[in-house]
Amino acid sequence: MPRRPTNPRLTNIEDWRAGADADPGFVTALARGLEILRAFGRDDRYLGNGELAKRTGIPKSTVSRLTQTLTSLGYLRYVDQLERYQLGPGVLALGYRYLAGNGVRDLAHPHMQALADSTDCSVALGTGDRSEMVYTDVCQGKGPLILRLEVGARIPMPVTSMGRAYIAGLPEADREALLARLKVHYGDAWPALRDGIEQSLRFYADHGYCVSEGDWNRDVASAGVPLVLEGGAHVLAFNCGGSSLRLTRRVLERSIGPRLQELVRLVERDLTGGGAPTLDYGA
């Protein structure tokens, strides 16, 4: 029977370095290879071995061997003219396999689009990844949105409604472990971020959703609700957001938050085979 990892939801490179000593089942070579792939940011098309070594803290000689291996497997592509690497089709294949295997996305999409259309907001589904949330699906309304993020976009966990909802949905032990790692990750900025998270957890306990009003982007306000699956083993989160000029606290509390809660209830129903029609989110 597979053994549950003893160091889940890592938030930074120091975590897996520590894990190599703390967990005898931790494979450092594999972790280093994955860190090479993760070193490519959203705007990075090409990176050389030196840049990868600097970003990951892995010795350049080791990076050279890892990039050769990843290139042979199709996860990187070497560009001779530039003497640098770019992500290969193997990474794209893994991403699409993850999305295809995530049945929640397909079930949630029509409900998300209905909510986006009726509120003229952006509605997204995301999952936690270290200190960030990653969008796995997005539905856009036609309203005056400040940010039009796409699938694969990454947003900070502590200051967004989606991230706060994700934290609120975690089992207590996992939440405490994650907060401890976020503390290390954010350093001196952590006390203020922790206060915001604690306020969000109290708000969630009272209302069943989280909010963010300009905490990440001063022009954006949103609400977020977690989707807790398998007794907390798998936690996702939805958000619904738009211009903070339009989405005031009153609108968030009287409309957006409750509608997002209803969306989650519909997805939970569909996951258990309820099979009723998509709800009309008309105002």
Side-chain angles (χ1 to χ4, degrees), residues 61-206:
S61 59
T62 303
V63 168
S64 179
R65 295 195 300 273
L66 290 170
T67 51
Q68 288 184 47
T69 302
L70 291 168
T71 300
S72 298
L73 295 173
Y75 295 110
L76 290 178
R77 176 175 171 269
Y78 185 67
V79 182
D80 291 292
Q81 302 92 319
L82 301 175
E83 296 184 344
R84 292 184 175 184
Y85 296 88
Q86 65 179 171
L87 292 176
V91 174
L92 182 63
L94 287 177
Y96 276 115
R97 286 169 188 164
Y98 170 80
L99 293 177
N102 187 352
V104 175
R105 183 172 180 261
D106 293 337
L107 290 174
H109 189 85
H111 302 305
M112 293 169 60
Q113 190 62 61
L115 181 57
D117 290 340
S118 67
T119 58
D120 282 340
C121 291
S122 172
V123 179
L125 170 65
T127 185
D129 182 43
R130 299 190 175 184
S131 62
E132 299 175 309
M133 299 299 295
V134 181
Y135 279 15
T136 57
D137 197 15
V138 185
C139 293
Q140 304 285 8
K142 299 177 181 179
L145 297 175
I146 304 301
L147 297 174
R148 288 190 176 273
L149 300 177
E150 301 176 347
V151 172
R154 307 177 76 89
I155 60 176
M157 191 180 291
V159 293
T160 57
S161 64
M162 176 183 281
R164 291 168 174 175
Y166 173 79
I167 293 171
L170 290 173
E172 184 175 358
D174 286 348
R175 183 188 308 128
E176 292 303 317
L178 175 59
L179 293 178
R181 294 184 181 108
L182 290 175
K183 178 180 179 180
V184 174
H185 179 76
Y186 283 102
D188 293 342
W190 177 243
L193 295 174
R194 180 194 58 208
D195 290 344
I197 291 172
E198 290 176 350
Q199 291 177 23
S200 293
L201 292 175
R202 291 192 293 269
F203 188 89
Y204 177 78
D206 293 335

Side-chain angles (χ1 to χ4, degrees), residues 48-64:
N49 283 336
E51 294 165 298
L52 291 168
K54 184 176 180 180
R55 292 190 181 191
T56 61
I58 300 171
K60 188 175 179 180
S61 59
T62 303
V63 168
S64 179

Side-chain angles (χ1 to χ4, degrees), residues 1 10 23 25 44 59 77 85 91 101 112 160 162 170 190 209 235 247 257 260 272:
M1 181 177 179
L10 305 183
D23 186 350
D44 294 321
R77 176 175 171 269
Y85 296 88
V91 174
M112 293 169 60
T160 57
M162 176 183 281
L170 290 173
W190 177 243
Y209 58 90
V235 178
L247 300 186
L260 201 56
T272 58

Side-chain angles (χ1 to χ4, degrees), residues 110-111 262 266 269-270 274-281:
H111 302 305
E262 179 62 18
L266 289 170
R269 180 212 63 197
D270 290 351
T278 300
L279 182 66
D280 180 2
Y281 282 99

Side-chain angles (χ1 to χ4, degrees), residues 228-278:
V228 181
L229 305 172
E230 302 169 11
H234 189 197
V235 178
L236 303 171
F238 293 90
N239 69 8
C240 179
S243 169
S244 57
L245 295 176
R246 189 164 61 92
L247 300 186
T248 62
R249 173 57 72 98
R250 179 182 176 88
V251 173
L252 290 174
E253 292 188 357
R254 298 192 63 177
S255 177
I256 302 301
R259 289 185 179 191
L260 201 56
Q261 287 178 292
E262 179 62 18
L263 182 151
V264 171
R265 284 193 287 268
L266 289 170
V267 174
E268 290 173 337
R269 180 212 63 197
D270 290 351
L271 286 169
T272 58
T278 300

